Amino acid sequence: MVPIVLAVVAAVLVLAVAIVVPVVLTRNDDAPAGGDAGAGASEPDTSSLAAVKEYDGLTNQHVAPGEEPDYPQSPPVGGDHAPYWLECGAYDQPVPEANAVHDLEHGTVWLTYRPDDLDAAGIRRLTEVLPANGILSPYDDQAAPVVITVWGRQLELAGPDDPRIALFIAQFGAGDTAPEPFASCNGGVHPADLPPVGGPVV
């Protein structure tokens, strides 16, 4: 009787191994190399500016007041722009791109954020790190929660606490990439005070 029981148990074990081992191997084949499928797969490197995108050869002509050029980047990094630039500071509404690009021409730092991704505390943190020669505004159509831009340079950020904000400002905040790096955003206009389309250029 004992030999029969042992034989049955052995048969069950062999059958279990035959079923379980292929399943385990199949799961291992499906798992990405390097461990946990979600561990660091899309985590950005926040220790350097290696991800900064560069755009050279940008034009910087004035367009007619009220005209919005078709910029290939979102937010734009430079190009032809409105004759009026915007005053420095934090805005709680999107600003006209063509005017903000004029600020970039002056060496301004433009910080933008997707409003659905940040709460009031996050927006406040961005306001606190905004340089004096800087503009902060919401921008719905951008790929990252926060983006920092100067003329010809742009970096997508993980959020308001991304340490690369400080690195980017230290590297590019002086406006060295801009055609008019020392003009600044001071003396600009508020979006609500922009002249109507076709208004006089000053």
Side-chain angles (χ1 to χ4, degrees):
M1 184 68 178
V2 172
I4 295 174
V5 171
L6 291 176
V8 170
V9 170
V12 170
L13 288 174
V14 169
L15 182 61
V17 169
I19 293 173
V20 171
V21 169
V23 170
V24 170
L25 291 176
T26 300
R27 286 180 180 172
N28 287 342
D29 290 343
D30 291 341
D36 186 7
S42 61
E43 290 295 320
D45 175 11
T46 59
S47 64
S48 75
L49 296 176
V52 170
K53 297 177 183 177
E54 299 185 5
Y55 303 88
D56 296 318
L58 299 167
T59 57
N60 63 326
Q61 303 300 309
H62 285 182
V63 299
E67 182 180 340
E68 283 284 343
D70 185 17
Y71 296 110
Q73 300 86 27
S74 297
V77 299
D80 295 342
H81 50 270
Y84 302 92
W85 67 92
L86 302 176
E87 179 60 38
C88 313
Y91 295 93
D92 58 8
Q93 296 294 322
V95 298
E97 291 183 341
N99 300 96
V101 170
H102 195 152
D103 286 276
L104 296 179
E105 183 191 36
H106 287 191
T108 298
V109 174
W110 189 16
L111 258 175
T112 52
Y113 60 91
R114 288 193 308 226
D116 290 343
D117 291 336
L118 268 66
D119 57 13
I123 296 170
R124 185 170 58 253
R125 288 196 295 276
L126 290 180
T127 304
E128 291 168 351
V129 299
L130 186 70
N133 187 30
I135 288 176
L136 173 67
S137 67
Y139 195 101
D140 290 312
D141 187 24
Q142 62 183 34
V146 178
V147 175
I148 190 167
T149 306
V150 295
W151 184 275
R153 303 292 185 270
Q154 189 170 78
L155 179 61
E156 296 177 354
L157 300 160
D161 298 317
D162 195 315
R164 292 174 296 172
I165 296 176
L167 296 177
F168 188 96
I169 292 172
Q171 179 70 30
F172 301 110
D176 294 338
T177 63
E180 301 175 14
F182 305 111
S184 102
C185 47
N186 286 309
V189 299
H190 189 281
D193 298 326
L194 287 170
V197 175
V201 177
V202 297

